[in-house]
Amino acid sequence: VQLQASGGGLVQAGGSLTLSCAASGTISSIKAMGWFRQAPGKQRELVASIGSGDTTYYPNSVKGRFTISRDNAKNTVYLQMNSLKPEDTAVYYCAAGQWIGVSRLVDFWGQGTQVTVSS
Protein backbone atom coordinates (compact mmCIF):
# COMPACT_ATOMS: atom_id res chain seq x y z
CA VAL A 1 0.00 0.00 0.00
CA GLN A 2 1.27 3.45 -0.90
CA LEU A 3 -0.08 6.64 0.62
CA GLN A 4 0.37 9.97 -1.13
CA ALA A 5 -0.32 12.98 1.04
CA SER A 6 -0.76 16.55 -0.08
CA GLY A 7 -2.20 19.88 0.98
CA GLY A 8 0.09 21.25 3.66
CA GLY A 9 1.25 24.83 3.73
CA LEU A 10 1.45 28.09 5.62
CA VAL A 11 -1.69 29.68 7.03
CA GLN A 12 -2.50 32.38 9.53
CA ALA A 13 -4.09 31.54 12.86
CA GLY A 14 -7.81 31.12 12.43
CA GLY A 15 -7.43 29.95 8.87
CA SER A 16 -8.17 26.63 7.23
CA LEU A 17 -6.34 23.94 5.30
CA THR A 18 -7.37 20.64 3.77
CA LEU A 19 -5.03 17.66 3.60
CA SER A 20 -5.55 14.79 1.19
CA CYS A 21 -4.20 11.25 1.27
CA ALA A 22 -4.64 8.93 -1.69
CA ALA A 23 -4.11 5.21 -1.16
CA SER A 24 -3.01 2.78 -3.84
CA GLY A 25 -1.97 -0.85 -3.95
CA THR A 26 -3.58 -3.65 -1.94
CA ILE A 27 -6.05 -1.36 -0.23
CA SER A 28 -8.35 -4.24 0.70
CA SER A 29 -6.02 -4.77 3.67
CA ILE A 30 -6.87 -1.34 5.06
CA LYS A 31 -9.55 -1.05 7.70
CA ALA A 32 -8.73 2.40 9.03
CA MET A 33 -7.05 5.56 7.82
CA GLY A 34 -6.14 8.75 9.53
CA TRP A 35 -3.65 11.46 10.28
CA PHE A 36 -0.91 11.83 12.84
CA ARG A 37 1.21 14.88 13.45
CA GLN A 38 4.61 15.45 14.93
CA ALA A 39 5.93 18.77 16.14
CA PRO A 40 9.65 19.31 16.81
CA GLY A 41 10.67 17.63 20.06
CA LYS A 42 7.30 15.97 20.52
CA GLN A 43 5.92 12.51 20.00
CA ARG A 44 3.84 11.66 16.99
CA GLU A 45 0.16 11.95 17.92
CA LEU A 46 -3.07 10.86 16.30
CA VAL A 47 -5.29 13.77 15.29
CA ALA A 48 -8.04 12.00 13.36
CA SER A 49 -9.03 8.55 12.20
CA ILE A 50 -11.85 6.98 10.24
CA GLY A 51 -12.65 3.31 10.38
CA SER A 52 -15.27 0.75 9.47
CA GLY A 53 -18.72 2.21 9.17
CA ASP A 54 -17.11 5.65 8.94
CA THR A 55 -16.61 5.80 12.66
CA THR A 56 -14.33 8.70 13.49
CA TYR A 57 -12.07 9.65 16.35
CA TYR A 58 -10.56 12.99 17.33
CA PRO A 59 -8.57 13.91 20.40
CA ASN A 60 -9.86 16.82 22.45
CA SER A 61 -7.13 19.08 21.09
CA VAL A 62 -8.73 19.15 17.62
CA LYS A 63 -12.33 18.08 18.25
CA GLY A 64 -14.73 20.54 16.73
CA ARG A 65 -12.05 22.04 14.48
CA PHE A 66 -10.84 19.10 12.39
CA THR A 67 -13.01 16.83 10.27
CA ILE A 68 -11.90 13.63 8.60
CA SER A 69 -13.78 12.19 5.65
CA ARG A 70 -13.15 9.77 2.83
CA ASP A 71 -14.10 9.17 -0.76
CA ASN A 72 -14.10 5.41 -1.26
CA ALA A 73 -14.36 5.74 -5.04
CA LYS A 74 -11.07 7.66 -5.04
CA ASN A 75 -9.46 5.75 -2.14
CA THR A 76 -8.76 9.12 -0.63
CA VAL A 77 -9.05 10.48 2.88
CA TYR A 78 -9.34 14.18 3.64
CA LEU A 79 -8.62 16.20 6.74
CA GLN A 80 -10.38 19.53 6.87
CA MET A 81 -8.69 21.75 9.45
CA ASN A 82 -10.48 24.89 10.57
CA SER A 83 -9.73 27.52 13.19
CA LEU A 84 -6.08 26.60 13.05
CA LYS A 85 -3.84 27.57 15.93
CA PRO A 86 -0.07 28.03 16.09
CA GLU A 87 0.10 24.87 18.21
CA ASP A 88 -1.25 22.92 15.23
CA THR A 89 2.08 23.52 13.52
CA ALA A 90 3.65 20.14 12.77
CA VAL A 91 4.47 17.66 10.09
CA TYR A 92 1.28 15.75 9.31
CA TYR A 93 1.46 12.09 8.29
CA CYS A 94 -1.20 10.02 6.62
CA ALA A 95 -1.57 6.55 8.16
CA ALA A 96 -3.42 3.35 7.32
CA GLY A 97 -3.81 -0.16 8.61
CA GLN A 98 -6.01 -2.55 10.50
CA TRP A 99 -6.18 -0.16 13.45
CA ILE A 100 -4.26 3.07 13.84
CA GLY A 101 -4.99 4.15 17.38
CA VAL A 102 -1.31 4.40 18.21
CA SER A 103 1.59 5.07 15.89
CA ARG A 104 3.43 1.82 16.62
CA LEU A 105 0.48 -0.17 15.26
CA VAL A 106 0.21 1.71 11.98
CA ASP A 107 0.93 -0.53 8.99
CA PHE A 108 1.48 2.10 6.33
CA TRP A 109 2.70 5.68 6.40
CA GLY A 110 2.59 8.40 3.83
CA GLN A 111 5.25 11.03 3.47
CA GLY A 112 4.84 13.95 5.81
CA THR A 113 3.40 17.28 4.80
CA GLN A 114 4.29 20.44 6.71
CA VAL A 115 1.55 22.56 8.23
CA THR A 116 2.67 25.89 9.64
CA VAL A 117 0.27 28.21 11.42
CA SER A 118 1.50 31.72 12.03
CA SER A 119 0.24 33.86 14.87
Side-chain angles (χ1 to χ4, degrees):
V1 173
Q2 295 79 44
L3 303 177
Q4 181 66 44
S6 61
L10 173 65
V11 65
Q12 288 188 330
S16 299
L17 278 176
T18 300
L19 305 182
S20 300
C21 176
S24 60
T26 311
I27 59 175
S28 59
S29 62
I30 296 174
K31 296 295 187 287
M33 292 185 69
W35 295 89
F36 285 74
R37 68 185 179 189
Q38 189 165 21
K42 295 189 176 182
Q43 289 187 332
R44 192 170 295 192
E45 62 172 348
L46 177 66
V47 294
S49 67
I50 186 165
S52 301
D54 286 345
T55 55
T56 58
Y57 166 80
Y58 307 94
N60 288 336
S61 58
V62 307
K63 194 173 293 183
R65 300 187 299 120
F66 290 11
T67 302
I68 190 169
S69 61
R70 64 183 172 192
D71 183 333
N72 290 328
K74 297 181 178 179
N75 298 320
T76 299
V77 169
Y78 304 95
L79 183 66
Q80 175 67 43
M81 303 184 293
N82 298 327
S83 302
L84 283 162
K85 305 175 181 180
E87 51 263 45
D88 294 318
T89 296
V91 178
Y92 283 68
Y93 296 91
C94 181
Q98 292 293 309
W99 184 73
I100 60 168
V102 293
S103 60
R104 62 183 173 85
L105 296 179
V106 171
D107 295 314
F108 308 103
W109 291 101
Q111 87 283 9
T113 185
Q114 178 71 45
V115 172
T116 303
V117 184
S118 63
S119 57

